[in-house]
Amino acid sequence: MASWLTRTWNGIKYGCKCYMGDECWPSADSWAELNSTVDGNLLVNIPPGASCHNFFEGPLGRMSTYDADACTDARAMWSDEPWTVEKPAAALWTYFTNDTCRPTDDPAESCTLGYYGVYVIRAQSREHIKAGVDFARENNIRLIIRNTGHDFIGRSTGWGSLVINTHSFQGVEFTTEYSGPGNYIGGAVTIGAGVQGRALLTQANAQNPPVTVITGECPTVGVAGGLVQGGGHGPLTPHYGLVADSALSFEVLTADGRYLTANSEENPDLFWALKGGGPSAFAVVLSVTLKTFPEQKAAGVTVMINSTLTNNTDLFWDGVKSFHKYSNRFVEAGLYVYFELAPLRLHIQPFVGIGKTSTEMGALLQPMFDEFKAKGIPHDTASKDFDTLFDLYIDLFEGETAGTSALTGGWMFTHRDVEENNDGIIEAFKTVLSPREDLKDQGFIIGHLWDAGLNIPVSNSATNPRFRKSTNFAIVALPVPNGATWAQKQDLQDVLTNIQDAAMKKAGPNGCAYVNEGDPYQPDWQDHFWGTEYPKLLEIRKKWDPHGVFYAVSTPGTEDWEVIEYGTRLCRKL
């Protein structure tokens, strides 16, 4: 490994990764040799908005990039998740790219690389991944593993880095009788690193008979990447736990360039850590084998309270309070509930009842509706029966939007938190939406009601044990305006950490945070993300990646690492 570059920042000495312009940065010949090794799949990374600009002022020099047709496409598709996923190194949500090259109608506007990587390997084989990991390790270059770019926390991008794109690994193989290690008897599926949620569920539904797999509700999430490595929650969580709970085996590439299998018999410590111990922290996942489950009938219900029905804010918040008051009842019945909360907008779509009918769902929700009626809370609702959960998933789960810039936090409320302090939780929600006078109505919440411990009361993964008493995991978001200064960004980060998330934590003292959808800059992230599992994870990280080849913010073993010099250089405190 190349030597560390010593730098001082804010009076602290660091040893830093190698970057362009440093003496240790590989020569052009070295990069050309890497390109040959990966069969021509090493690309100069150009931001996806560059086609709308006359020039891209990149670290390798000025490039003419304007293309009218491509620009029209970029402007039309900027908010489209699948379009963004297919780009070599693009991030679906742009805050951590520094937003320095967005689509524009003025081609003379500046376009620079921002916090994107310099080069990207569009890996077509596991040998390509190995070549990239070896090159980054030997030259001490910051390495980013990018699957889909479905990432709120900036772990799929990094200034001056080498990016390895694993999205081409699309293999899917089902079996009705898993015969690998462990005590599991049943169906399974082995998927490549690049397979996304909806694509996997579509293929699962096409089996005879149809099966299903635990994955997130969003169609673009990479199941074998950050989802399973962070834990992973979705509509099947009330029945079968987290995605990590369903993992049977991994094929991986380690930091020192070895291909290994990790399961309950081979490398069991690595196997356990990969199941929720943190994304891009222990190894590069090439494929994962997951349990499959029989498809079942399902019923869905939608509920809306919004400004078309009332502009009375007190009445609106009474409705939110009544909905959330019954959240323990919902999760105890095995329901999964997805909701969005914004000023004068409570959008619950959907309540999911697997194995249930609309009639049964109506009975479960009736106490909430009775309270709505007693309080005079106007609302719209609808229900529908489906032959399978897949049919419900396609019909009721709405697509998400890419291309926006926001900070993300979040907190999980336990059964006890809701039982003892529902009113306090609602007050915290109000704080999230309007954290400060000058930020009134700027925040929003994406909520997920599920109990990961309902049928899996004891974790078999590295996820925080507190998730086994979960009722509501709520994502907190605070938009960041385009063109925000460094000082503005620091201020908004302080608001997220010390006002919005702080209010949630105070209201839910028994809860925890989720590593894939939480504030990476919160104090005591080790305990909030992993609880009592963290010491074990730290030791495993030291064993499998002692030199810090892999890095993702606020994952085990990164306590001494920091991105310094205004969001650029990745360095370790000396």
Side-chain angles (χ1 to χ4, degrees):
M1 178 179 286
S3 60
W4 297 89
L5 288 178
T6 302
R7 299 182 77 87
T8 300
W9 178 250
N10 291 334
I12 301 172
K13 284 189 176 182
Y14 294 88
C16 300
K17 297 278 188 178
C18 288
Y19 290 96
M20 181 167 281
D22 298 334
E23 289 186 9
C24 55
W25 183 256
S27 66
D29 287 344
S30 295
W31 287 106
E33 184 178 351
L34 174 63
N35 188 37
S36 177
T37 303
V38 299
D39 302 316
N41 285 291
L42 178 69
L43 310 176
V44 174
N45 190 20
I46 300 174
S51 60
C52 293
H53 300 259
N54 287 331
F55 301 104
F56 165 52
E57 304 285 355
L60 299 175
R62 170 180 279 198
M63 301 173 62
S64 297
T65 51
Y66 183 75
D67 181 318
D69 291 340
C71 177
T72 298
D73 183 53
R75 294 180 68 185
M77 302 299 289
W78 192 251
S79 63
D80 184 77
E81 286 193 358
W83 182 88
T84 309
V85 166
E86 296 304 321
K87 302 305 174 187
L92 266 65
W93 299 284
T94 60
Y95 174 77
F96 288 97
T97 72
N98 208 28
D99 267 331
T100 58
C101 191
R102 296 180 72 88
T104 177
D105 56 7
D106 180 6
E109 281 188 10
S110 170
C111 169
T112 62
L113 191 60
Y115 295 161
Y116 275 122
V118 178
Y119 290 100
V120 54
I121 297 173
R122 232 171 176 170
Q124 306 300 311
S125 69
R126 69 181 198 167
E127 289 77 20
H128 294 169
I129 295 177
K130 175 175 168 53
V133 171
D134 288 346
F135 189 86
R137 182 185 66 251
E138 292 163 4
N139 293 282
N140 201 20
I141 295 170
R142 182 173 181 182
L143 179 65
I144 297 292
I145 308 301
R146 191 268 192 190
N147 178 4
T148 67
H150 183 110
D151 170 26
F152 293 124
I153 316 299
R155 296 187 175 110
S156 295
T157 190
W159 182 82
S161 61
L162 170 62
V163 181
I164 300 177
N165 182 312
T166 63
H167 189 54
S168 72
F169 289 67
Q170 292 291 322
V172 178
E173 185 176 350
F174 288 89
T175 179
T176 57
E177 297 180 0
Y178 175 74
S179 58
N183 299 319
Y184 174 68
I185 298 174
V189 60
T190 300
I191 61 171
V195 176
Q196 295 170 271
R198 179 174 289 179
L200 176 58
L201 292 175
T202 300
Q203 293 189 54
N205 187 66
Q207 302 302 301
N208 185 19
V211 295
T212 191
V213 185
I214 311 171
T215 182
E217 54 80 25
C218 181
T220 62
V221 67
V223 182
L227 185 70
V228 66
Q229 293 172 68
H233 59 87
L236 282 167
T237 291
H239 287 249
Y240 306 115
L242 301 170
V243 178
D245 296 322
S246 72
L248 296 167
S249 186
F250 294 86
E251 298 296 321
V252 303
L253 180 79
T254 61
D256 58 0
R258 291 179 292 156
Y259 301 115
L260 292 179
T261 298
N263 55 41
S264 60
E265 293 183 1
E266 296 183 69
N267 305 300
D269 60 337
L270 180 60
F271 175 56
W272 179 80
L274 288 168
K275 298 190 299 177
S280 295
F282 300 95
V284 182
V285 172
L286 306 175
S287 68
V288 63
T289 300
L290 303 167
K291 298 176 183 177
T292 61
F293 305 96
E295 261 289 13
Q296 298 184 60
K297 69 182 180 182
V301 177
T302 61
V303 175
M304 286 72 165
I305 305 172
N306 54 39
S307 58
T308 63
L309 300 171
T310 181
N311 285 306
N312 184 325
T313 55
D314 291 337
L315 193 62
F316 170 80
W317 282 110
D318 265 350
V320 175
K321 185 182 297 184
S322 293
F323 155 63
H324 203 267
K325 170 184 174 181
Y326 291 98
S327 56
N328 279 348
R329 173 184 172 89
F330 302 148
V331 300
E332 286 165 3
L335 302 190
Y336 171 93
V337 186
Y338 182 93
F339 69 93
E340 298 169 352
L341 179 60
L344 284 176
R345 183 178 185 268
L346 174 62
H347 182 75
I348 311 170
Q349 184 164 335
F351 290 85
V352 177
I354 298 171
K356 300 187 187 304
T357 64
S358 292
T359 300
E360 291 171 319
M361 292 289 283
L364 285 169
L365 271 57
Q366 194 58 49
M368 178 187 73
F369 287 129
D370 288 344
E371 194 159 314
F372 282 176
K373 183 177 180 180
K375 291 182 175 180
I377 295 165
H379 61 279
D380 289 332
T381 186
S383 63
K384 189 174 180 180
D385 288 298
F386 297 89
D387 291 336
T388 65
L389 173 61
F390 179 76
D391 293 333
L392 182 153
Y393 172 80
I394 294 297
D395 190 60
L396 290 184
F397 280 98
E398 300 169 302
E400 295 179 354
T401 299
T404 55
S405 178
L407 291 166
T408 301
W411 195 246
M412 184 276 290
F413 298 102
T414 65
H415 311 327
R416 182 178 175 183
D417 293 326
V418 174
E419 181 180 353
E420 296 181 353
N421 193 34
N422 189 61
D423 288 0
I425 292 172
I426 303 307
E427 290 304 309
F429 289 173
K430 293 178 183 179
T431 298
V432 169
L433 269 56
S434 295
R436 206 167 60 189
E437 187 60 35
D438 62 322
L439 296 171
K440 182 176 173 58
D441 294 342
Q442 293 298 299
F444 62 95
I445 289 171
I446 300 172
H448 313 77
L449 305 187
W450 43 258
D451 179 3
L454 184 65
N455 289 299
I456 310 291
V458 179
S459 170
N460 67 12
S461 63
T463 54
N464 196 320
R466 289 173 233 170
F467 279 123
R468 305 300 152 170
K469 298 179 180 179
S470 53
T471 290
N472 178 12
F473 169 66
I475 299 173
V476 170
L478 182 63
V480 178
N482 291 337
T485 65
W486 180 260
Q488 287 174 308
K489 291 177 181 180
Q490 293 300 104
D491 175 58
L492 292 173
Q493 178 64 58
D494 181 70
V495 170
L496 176 74
T497 301
N498 296 312
I499 299 178
Q500 292 175 302
D501 263 14
M504 300 281 275
K505 292 173 181 176
K506 182 179 179 181
N510 304 291
C512 65
Y514 175 46
V515 63
N516 285 349
E517 295 166 329
D519 176 13
Y521 304 111
Q522 62 186 292
D524 201 14
W525 52 264
Q526 298 91 335
D527 179 66
H528 293 322
F529 288 147
W530 288 286
T532 54
E533 307 292 14
Y534 188 78
K536 182 178 176 182
L537 285 168
L538 181 59
E539 291 306 309
I540 295 172
R541 176 63 181 272
K542 290 176 180 177
K543 172 183 174 181
W544 289 99
D545 185 17
H547 302 297
V549 174
F550 302 125
Y551 174 81
V553 64
S554 297
T555 53
T558 61
E559 287 86 347
D560 292 332
W561 291 87
E562 188 177 348
V563 176
I564 66 171
E565 298 179 12
Y566 302 105
T568 57
R569 291 178 179 267
L570 175 62
C571 307
R572 183 161 56 184
K573 294 176 184 176
L574 297 176

